[in-house]
Amino acid sequence: MAGILAWFWNERFWLPHNVTWADLKNTEEATFPQAEDLYLAFPLAFCIFMVRLIFERFVAKPCAIALNIQANGPQIAQPNAILEKVFTAITKHPDEKRLEGLSKQLDWDVRSIQRWFRQRRNQEKPSTLKRFCESMWRFSFYLYVFTYGVRFLKKTPWLWNTRHCWYNYPYQPLTPDLHYYYILELSFYWSLMFSQFTDIRRKDFGIMFLHHLVSIFLITFSYVNNMARVGTLVLCLHDSADALLEAAKMANYAKFQKMCDLLFVMFAMVFITTRLGIFPLWVLNTTLFESWEIVGPYPSWWVFNLLLLLVQGLNCFWSYLIVKIACKAISKGKSGKWNPLHVSKDDRSDIESSSDEENSEPPGKSPHTATTTNGTSGTNGYLLTGPCSLDD
């Protein structure tokens, strides 16, 4: 074990040339990031999860009820032992051949069986009340942590001149505010890693899981080798759009359509500007070029920048989804005007957050009718997607 630890913490990988771990030990004059500090994230992640449960129960739920958001679920499928056995043991999406067999066995027409399976799938979906509570919790946390990040960073020199991220590196002392900011963000992402298995399951579950892993690894990695200054820029920049997304979701669930559309536009503008403009031109510029000039490359420097480039790849993917749904909403509107109601169900399914499909109508209904039968506008198709990101 000692040999494995010595190999893992090899100074020639983690630190610049001629720097050792002994140089970064805490002294009376200065405090530096220590790997063992990160253990705090696990009990804090549990505390954040417990705060979330209390918040959703005693704050978010009363707010939802005040907005007339009810916990009523979808229509319950009538009990049927044969269909229930097929649903639970074989498939939730029977093909045409199986539907015909069940039709003969039960003496039901195929359309009735399709309707039963659709209703049964929808029974497993969370209610609008639960969705609202989850979004309100995330909105509150994102708003708090982004506000804290802005207040902290505006007092730092590296916000105004990113070259300060690398001056005197890695002998940059760790301040209490920076330590709190980092541990809070890391704890939140650990809480998301565990809660996403019990939260509303989204179609982008795999991508969000990758996003959370990369975020945790980046935060941990940059803390250990004291790249925390540039790390705070990455965190604050990626938090900037998340609160707007959750606010738009809440407006959508409360059926405040004009507010929902406005927040969606604001979110799209902030997201694309920060992720495709500011992040590569400001943050990646300093991590790739300014750090090369001032500090020079070393093994962990390459890994850190590769992870940032992976984050940028995810940013491009989510930006593509935003632009795609916006263009389709505009092109399907009357006279080319913005009208999310004209986004068809097929378009929404590309970025739908729920793991199952929305209430679909039997064949023969028009696409427009199918779009509006669930009681919400087509904006819901984008607003329930999940770049948060990190972002959450």
Side-chain angles (χ1 to χ4, degrees):
M1 181 59 67
I4 293 174
L5 291 175
W7 169 81
F8 181 81
W9 294 111
N10 190 310
E11 294 165 343
R12 298 285 60 80
F13 171 80
W14 288 96
L15 302 173
H17 187 61
N18 291 332
V19 179
T20 66
W21 292 119
D23 298 330
L24 299 177
K25 288 293 183 181
N26 292 333
T27 64
E28 293 182 357
E29 292 78 21
T31 300
F32 299 103
Q34 305 295 314
E36 53 266 26
D37 297 345
L38 300 174
Y39 290 130
L40 286 171
F42 294 104
L44 285 177
F46 177 75
C47 291
I48 288 175
F49 182 73
M50 297 306 297
V51 169
R52 172 187 172 173
L53 295 180
I54 296 171
F55 179 90
E56 291 186 356
R57 176 68 177 84
F58 296 103
V59 179
K61 187 175 180 179
C63 290
I65 294 174
L67 293 170
N68 294 320
I69 299 175
Q70 302 299 323
N72 297 334
Q75 183 178 354
I76 304 298
Q78 68 180 87
N80 187 291
I82 295 175
L83 295 180
E84 184 68 26
K85 183 176 181 180
V86 173
F87 182 87
T88 56
I90 302 176
T91 179
K92 296 180 181 181
H93 300 270
D95 55 23
E96 185 177 350
K97 183 178 180 181
R98 190 176 298 278
L99 287 172
E100 292 176 354
L102 291 170
S103 176
K104 295 177 181 178
Q105 184 177 358
L106 297 172
D107 196 24
W108 287 16
D109 60 82
V110 172
R111 180 171 295 182
S112 297
I113 297 176
Q114 288 176 326
R115 184 180 300 110
W116 187 95
F117 273 92
R118 183 172 63 252
Q119 293 174 352
R120 182 64 180 84
R121 287 192 296 268
N122 289 337
Q123 282 180 217
E124 300 184 346
K125 291 184 181 181
S127 65
T128 303
L129 177 66
K130 180 175 174 59
R131 292 175 184 268
F132 180 91
C133 292
E134 179 182 313
S135 290
M136 188 170 180
W137 157 250
R138 295 195 181 202
F139 167 79
S140 302
F141 182 87
Y142 290 141
L143 183 63
Y144 167 74
V145 77
F146 175 67
T147 304
Y148 179 87
V150 171
R151 292 182 62 188
F152 163 67
L153 283 171
K154 71 180 183 180
K155 299 180 291 185
T156 64
W158 60 87
L159 175 66
W160 314 106
N161 181 0
T162 53
R163 298 179 72 87
H164 281 277
C165 292
W166 313 108
Y167 290 152
N168 197 36
Y169 176 83
Y171 306 107
Q172 299 166 341
L174 178 69
T175 64
D177 286 343
L178 193 154
H179 178 258
Y180 170 77
Y181 188 33
Y182 244 68
I183 296 300
L184 180 65
E185 290 272 14
L186 180 61
S187 302
F188 179 69
Y189 278 109
W190 272 119
S191 72
L192 287 182
M193 276 291 292
F194 298 119
S195 66
Q196 69 177 342
F197 294 100
T198 58
D199 286 344
I200 299 167
R201 192 172 182 86
R202 309 181 187 280
K203 281 194 172 181
D204 62 352
F205 174 85
I207 294 195
M208 289 306 298
F209 184 79
L210 174 63
H211 170 269
H212 296 337
L213 279 179
V214 172
S215 300
I216 289 172
F217 199 77
L218 265 173
I219 295 172
T220 303
F221 199 88
S222 59
Y223 187 86
V224 169
N225 65 2
N226 205 13
M227 289 185 179
R229 289 187 175 184
V230 73
T232 57
L233 300 180
V234 176
L235 289 170
C236 191
L237 190 65
H238 282 76
D239 287 336
S240 59
D242 292 338
L244 289 171
L245 173 63
E246 300 303 332
K249 291 182 184 180
M250 290 191 294
N252 185 62
Y253 300 143
K255 299 182 180 179
F256 297 153
Q257 193 55 51
K258 290 184 178 180
M259 182 184 297
C260 174
D261 293 344
L262 175 62
L263 289 168
F264 168 75
V265 173
M266 292 173 60
F267 162 74
M269 293 174 62
V270 172
F271 187 94
I272 293 174
T273 301
T274 55
R275 307 293 179 97
L276 298 189
I278 299 175
F279 181 68
L281 297 178
W282 187 47
V283 175
L284 291 182
N285 176 67
T286 191
T287 61
L288 289 169
F289 302 111
E290 292 178 350
S291 64
W292 182 293
E293 176 186 342
I294 298 171
V295 179
Y298 52 98
S300 68
W301 178 93
W302 291 100
V303 175
F304 182 70
N305 278 288
L306 284 173
L307 288 171
L308 288 178
L309 291 173
L310 178 58
V311 170
Q312 183 59 14
L314 293 172
N315 291 338
C316 292
F317 171 76
W318 281 316
S319 298
Y320 160 76
L321 294 182
I322 294 172
V323 172
K324 180 181 178 182
I325 195 64
C327 289
K328 288 185 177 180
I330 294 172
S331 65
K332 291 178 182 291
K334 294 180 179 179
S335 303
K337 296 180 180 179
W338 170 263
N339 189 348
L341 285 169
H342 287 266
V343 182
S344 71
K345 183 178 182 301
D346 290 339
D347 297 330
R348 298 203 314 269
S349 66
D350 292 336
I351 50 179
E352 186 81 4
S353 74
S354 179
S355 59
D356 289 325
E357 78 286 348
E358 289 294 327
N359 290 341
S360 57
E361 291 299 314
K365 296 267 187 171
S366 69
H368 177 78
T369 305
T371 303
T372 57
T373 49
N374 62 356
T376 61
S377 78
T379 313
N380 184 52
Y382 177 72
L383 292 179
L384 295 181
T385 192
C388 44
S389 51
L390 2 220
D391 66 287
D392 187 280

